[in-house]
Amino acid sequence: MLTHTGRWRRLFGALTGVAVVLGLMAGAARPAAAAGGTPRPVTAYRHTSEAGDWIGQGSTVAYTPSTASITVEGALEVVRFRVENDSAWWDVVLAAPRGEKLHPGVYRNAERAHSATGRAPGLDVNGQHRGCNVVYGQFAVHQIEADASGDITLLDATYTQRCESPDAPALKGVVKYRAYPLSFTYASEPGDYPGQGRSGTHTGATSVFALREWGVGGLSWDASGKRERWSALLVPPTGERFEAGRTYRTERGSGPGVADLDVSGFGGCNRSHGTLTLTRLARDTDGTVTAFAATFEQHCEGAEPALRGTIHYYA
């Protein structure tokens, strides 16, 4: 196994990006604040190491800015994420295939970042003076952004790394730098028509999300990916405005005291009833919703089978 000394000078010598230290540089545009449900960017690192993995030594670690210094260095071609405190340090390097830039998506067949062959993406996770000679792995970029000078301002990624052989014990981790949650998960009971009894998860690595205004105070949300298309229409009760932290009784079609919830996927409802909880909500200065998080339960046609889900749109 490799002990790392002086590698970063070789790996990042061609990069012009300056280290971005947590709290010293702002990221890209983010949701506006809203009382009672303000979205906050997440910076964190965690990994789980299987027994026999050389890098993580079979342990699980988790860090936030309250327990470690977390920095990002590099640009869209190659990015290095570093976690360090008085007792530990970990480095994660993600590199785009040759001639490309990192963007949301899944990068399979990754090789060791500084020695990747051909057009393979690069991955190198090391720490505590332990590293791989040969890397077998993959990573998913859920979100990534850079400023006008090319410095990384937002990163949300996951990875799986194996040292020396493709069937070696795995190190699996999560990397977040000033990232806002962006996902959709659902679970459909047998007999539920819109979900067809299935369950699934959509993230920025696999799917595209959109949010639009609908009528007065309503929201039209969409997710497309993994051969699926989901949509949700959310309208507050007549004469009201959505509020964070509140649970609404829902039907298909809003009215006094009743919110409109209409979630469709593999099919849709003619009639529905259920509940909708807005856990986070952000509005622009003109009152337009720019980000929200919600959980829902929907029953079609008065039937018992339910479709349940969670939406995170930058909140």
Side-chain angles (χ1 to χ4, degrees):
M1 298 296 178
L2 181 70
T3 297
H4 295 262
T5 53
R7 286 191 346 161
W8 293 113
R9 184 177 295 108
R10 297 195 298 274
L11 181 57
F12 284 90
L15 293 177
T16 59
V18 179
V20 180
V21 182
L22 179 65
L24 297 184
M25 289 189 69
R30 52 181 60 94
T38 306
R40 292 180 175 86
V42 176
T43 297
Y45 174 72
R46 66 178 184 271
H47 72 225
T48 300
S49 170
E50 295 179 347
D53 166 56
W54 166 246
I55 307 303
Q57 300 284 289
S59 66
T60 297
V61 303
Y63 299 94
T64 66
S66 65
T67 58
S69 167
I70 301 179
T71 60
V72 169
E73 182 179 82
L76 291 173
E77 292 81 6
V78 184
V79 61
R80 173 194 179 192
F81 180 94
R82 184 174 177 87
V83 180
E84 186 172 13
N85 62 19
D86 292 338
S87 60
W89 60 268
W90 301 96
D91 278 315
V92 180
V93 177
L94 307 176
R98 184 177 302 179
E100 298 182 23
K101 294 183 178 182
L102 292 170
H103 55 79
V106 179
Y107 294 81
R108 295 182 173 84
N109 300 314
E111 301 178 9
R112 189 175 167 209
H114 88 290
S115 58
T117 61
R119 297 191 179 279
L123 172 66
D124 193 355
V125 185
N126 61 91
Q128 305 298 79
H129 305 288
R130 294 186 297 272
C132 303
N133 291 299
V134 179
V135 167
Y136 295 84
Q138 72 173 45
F139 60 92
V141 175
H142 304 293
Q143 300 176 70
I144 190 167
E145 293 181 8
D147 60 18
S149 63
D151 295 329
I152 299 297
T153 58
L154 183 155
L155 178 64
D156 183 358
T158 55
Y159 69 81
T160 298
Q161 174 181 274
R162 302 176 190 272
C163 282
E164 318 312 331
S165 72
D167 58 353
L171 178 70
K172 299 181 179 181
V174 176
V175 173
K176 292 182 182 291
Y177 181 80
R178 299 192 65 80
Y180 288 91
L182 180 65
S183 65
F184 170 58
T185 62
Y186 69 91
S188 168
E189 294 179 343
D192 167 62
Y193 186 61
Q196 299 288 296
R198 308 180 195 183
S199 61
T201 299
H202 292 260
T203 68
T206 61
S207 306
V208 177
F209 304 87
L211 180 67
R212 296 176 298 278
E213 292 184 76
W214 183 272
V216 180
L219 303 172
S220 175
W221 168 91
D222 299 284
S224 174
K226 300 168 68 172
R227 300 179 183 85
E228 298 179 6
R229 295 181 184 275
W230 286 88
S231 66
L233 182 62
L234 297 77
V235 181
T238 302
E240 298 185 31
R241 191 167 86 149
F242 277 133
E243 300 175 16
R246 183 175 168 186
T247 297
Y248 298 86
R249 182 170 65 88
T250 66
E251 295 179 358
R252 189 170 186 265
S254 60
V258 179
D260 183 358
L261 174 67
D262 188 4
V263 182
S264 61
F266 304 105
C269 304
N270 293 303
R271 295 180 295 107
S272 72
H273 71 276
T275 59
L276 170 69
T277 301
L278 271 296
T279 55
R280 291 285 189 272
L281 195 65
R283 299 181 188 275
D284 210 339
T285 53
D286 65 358
T288 301
V289 173
T290 57
F292 78 100
T295 60
F296 66 85
E297 179 176 317
Q298 176 180 271
H299 300 261
C300 277
E301 322 306 339
E304 184 65 26
L307 173 68
R308 298 181 177 88
T310 301
I311 299 171
H312 286 279
Y313 187 82
Y314 298 118

